[in-house]
Amino acid sequence: MKKFVLAAALTLATASVASAATSSGTLTVTGTIDSSINLTVESAGGTTSGTGTNAATSALGSISKYSSAPTGFTLARGASDWTLSSTVGVKVDKANLTSTDYTLDAQLGSAPASGITWKLNGSSLSDSASTTLTSTGTYGSTGSYSWDIVVADSAAAAAIDNAINFTATSN
């Protein structure tokens, strides 16, 4: 009887072992790193919102030759016109790019109202051609550009709304 019990125990101990099912797969990844630059408006005169983005807004409110200048502006009264002056801060960052500097251009989004002249760094802006503000901009630092809005005394009392479109191009 001992032999039978021992034989039964050996048979149970050597019972077949179940093998685990397996499967495998592969994910092939492809891609290309593109170089990039990012432009943000960091500051501007007026009541400004959206700084640190590429879509800032500057609200001047109601302006006139004989009132106070809007926040962040100075006002100079001339014999036949008046000028609101401030600055605009623009920052350009880069990634995955060997360029050491960039060119920054500006252009008005639409034709200025009659009797209104928009200037950056002393150059008049238009909606038909861009104006170069710098051809050697430094990445990662905020460039400050003088901003003037010249209003002729003959200009109609109306909105002067416009947009200054900045374009940075790596050199």
Side-chain angles (χ1 to χ4, degrees):
M1 176 76 149
K2 287 185 180 181
K3 284 186 174 180
F4 177 71
V5 171
L6 182 58
L10 282 175
T11 302
L12 289 175
T14 60
S16 65
V17 176
S19 60
T22 63
S23 182
S24 62
T26 302
L27 170 64
T28 302
V29 178
T30 63
T32 303
I33 295 173
D34 282 338
S35 58
S36 60
I37 60 176
N38 185 57
L39 181 149
T40 56
V41 176
E42 297 295 314
S43 63
T47 303
T48 308
S49 62
T51 55
T53 72
N54 65 353
T57 301
S58 177
L60 305 185
S62 294
I63 53 176
S64 73
K65 185 172 185 172
Y66 300 109
S67 65
S68 299
T71 301
F73 279 86
T74 60
L75 189 144
R77 296 171 186 91
S80 61
D81 61 19
W82 47 288
T83 302
L84 292 172
S85 298
S86 188
T87 58
V88 177
V90 177
K91 182 179 179 183
V92 178
D93 291 307
K94 70 172 183 170
N96 311 105
L97 185 65
T98 59
S99 165
T100 58
D101 55 21
Y102 62 88
T103 298
L104 181 65
D105 295 327
Q107 185 171 346
L108 287 179
S110 60
S114 179
I116 309 297
T117 303
W118 294 71
K119 293 182 177 185
L120 280 175
N121 273 5
S123 297
S124 295
L125 299 179
S126 77
D127 63 326
S128 60
S130 64
T131 298
T132 299
L133 302 176
T134 183
S135 58
T136 57
T138 302
Y139 291 110
S141 67
T142 301
S144 183
Y145 304 96
S146 63
W147 173 25
D148 298 313
I149 302 171
V150 182
V151 181
D153 289 347
S154 61
I160 63 164
D161 303 356
N162 213 320
I164 302 172
N165 298 318
F166 295 97
T167 302
T169 306
S170 62
N171 293 327

